Amino acid sequence: MAAATRTFLAFQHNAKLHHLQTVVARVQSFASLEESNRLLFKQGGDEDHVVVTEQTIFHPQGGGQPSDVGEITNSSGVSFVVASARMDTVHDGQVLHFGRFNQPPSSPTPRFSEGETVQQAIDVEKRILYSRFHTAGHVLGSAVRQLLEKEVADFDELKASHFPDSASCEFQGLIEGKWKESIQKKVDEFVAAKMPVQIEWWDEDDFRARGLEKLIPDRSLVPAGEKSRVVNIVGAEVYPCGGTHVDTTDLCDPTTVKKISRSKGTSRVSYTVT
């Protein structure tokens, strides 16, 4: 793989792909990484490496979603435990799989070779958990928008965190605590409705045809010649999104609105999924 070749994000096309055969493009010690990439992995040390492959099923941390974890192995029994995955800050579009090699008795120098075929496997339980939290965050965002877009001055959706220990959606505008019960009721309705969660690929004309021009992603974020990936929660809302999701909203049950906090003209609605 040439330095400029992007990693094919297989998980964006099939989130149920929990195992994948692919080819090693690069293996690099943590110490030899560019400083900006070392800063992505603050726990990195002398025994750590990054592995880049032509394709990946590992969702890199981003868009509010945690990184997948798992393992990459070769036919000789060499295993690389993936502790985190992040997008390379230097080589555009490449995914860095960060972790350590496990050394089998027959392999004194455990490394993959460039061009070698390897098998990827993710932690399926964590993938499902992260997908549930991510979809629940979109459900919550849609519920708040439908209830409060015309009730709260200068309302807009800002950003979200779908990490299990800090899940929340942030909004422009001040949302009073009195709305908590109504938001929970609307979330419950969306979850109970078993709304399909569809992955679609749109160009700019698709956004315009649906009156969603404001959702068109920045051109710099979409590779030349490619369409934008969107998550369509049928009957609720559409979001440009690169993360993983469950198939229907009922798989987020129960999603609980924890609290509403306000600061400097913005509001945060925190939630949990159990």
Side-chain angles (χ1 to χ4, degrees):
M1 179 193 285
T5 302
R6 305 172 66 88
T7 305
F8 178 76
L9 306 179
F11 65 86
Q12 288 194 344
H13 300 267
N14 182 359
K16 294 184 176 66
L17 197 60
H18 300 152
H19 297 82
L20 177 70
Q21 180 174 291
T22 185
V23 174
V24 174
R26 173 163 52 99
V27 179
Q28 195 170 347
S29 68
F30 174 77
S32 69
L33 289 174
E34 301 86 349
E35 182 179 5
S36 58
N37 280 330
R38 290 200 305 273
L39 291 173
L40 297 175
F41 309 106
K42 296 181 180 179
Q43 72 274 37
D46 293 340
E47 297 181 24
D48 297 308
H49 289 75
V50 296
V51 174
V52 178
T53 52
E54 291 184 355
Q55 303 182 48
T56 189
I57 53 174
F58 286 83
H59 179 281
Q61 180 179 319
Q65 181 172 334
S67 160
D68 281 320
V69 297
E71 191 174 28
I72 305 175
T73 57
N74 70 3
S75 59
S76 300
V78 175
S79 171
F80 181 75
V81 178
V82 179
S84 178
R86 299 291 296 270
M87 295 304 300
D88 195 313
T89 64
V90 177
H91 305 93
D92 184 45
Q94 291 193 355
V95 175
L96 302 177
H97 304 87
F98 167 85
R100 293 187 179 184
F101 286 97
N102 283 341
Q103 182 174 344
S106 61
S107 180
T109 307
R111 289 284 295 272
F112 298 147
S113 301
E114 183 176 335
E116 182 178 14
T117 298
V118 291
Q119 294 283 343
Q120 294 182 342
I122 61 169
D123 184 319
V124 178
E125 185 175 340
K126 286 186 176 180
R127 160 63 68 79
I128 293 172
L129 177 65
Y130 298 158
S131 298
R132 292 178 70 224
F133 265 90
H134 200 154
T135 302
H138 285 340
V139 168
L140 173 62
S142 180
V144 173
R145 174 178 286 281
Q146 291 196 19
L147 282 171
L148 302 179
E149 185 172 21
K150 297 179 180 180
E151 301 288 339
V152 174
D154 302 319
F155 178 89
D156 201 2
E157 293 182 68
L158 297 177
K159 60 182 179 179
S161 167
H162 309 298
F163 283 69
D165 59 351
S166 59
S168 64
C169 298
E170 293 189 24
F171 304 89
Q172 182 174 302
L174 296 179
I175 301 174
E176 297 181 40
K178 68 180 183 180
W179 289 104
K180 181 174 180 288
E181 184 176 343
S182 297
I183 294 170
Q184 182 68 67
K185 183 178 179 181
K186 179 64 72 172
V187 167
D188 291 344
E189 289 176 4
F190 285 171
V191 170
K194 299 183 180 181
M195 294 174 168
V197 182
Q198 299 178 349
I199 303 301
E200 301 174 6
W201 298 85
W202 291 7
D203 58 23
E204 291 188 7
D205 289 340
D206 292 319
F207 285 96
R208 293 191 179 94
R210 294 165 173 82
L212 298 174
E213 292 90 344
K214 66 180 180 179
L215 295 182
I216 296 176
D218 188 297
R219 290 180 183 273
S220 65
L221 301 177
V222 182
E226 295 186 16
K227 294 185 177 182
S228 299
R229 185 178 188 265
V230 301
V231 173
N232 182 7
I233 302 178
V234 180
E237 199 155 351
V238 172
Y239 293 90
C241 181
T244 64
H245 293 271
V246 293
D247 290 338
T248 51
T249 56
D250 58 300
L251 297 175
C252 301
D253 186 33
T255 296
T256 302
V257 179
K258 294 172 62 179
K259 67 177 181 178
I260 301 172
S261 55
R262 295 164 295 280
S263 176
K264 299 179 180 180
T266 64
S267 301
R268 176 184 292 113
V269 181
S270 61
Y271 70 96
T272 189
V273 178
T274 53

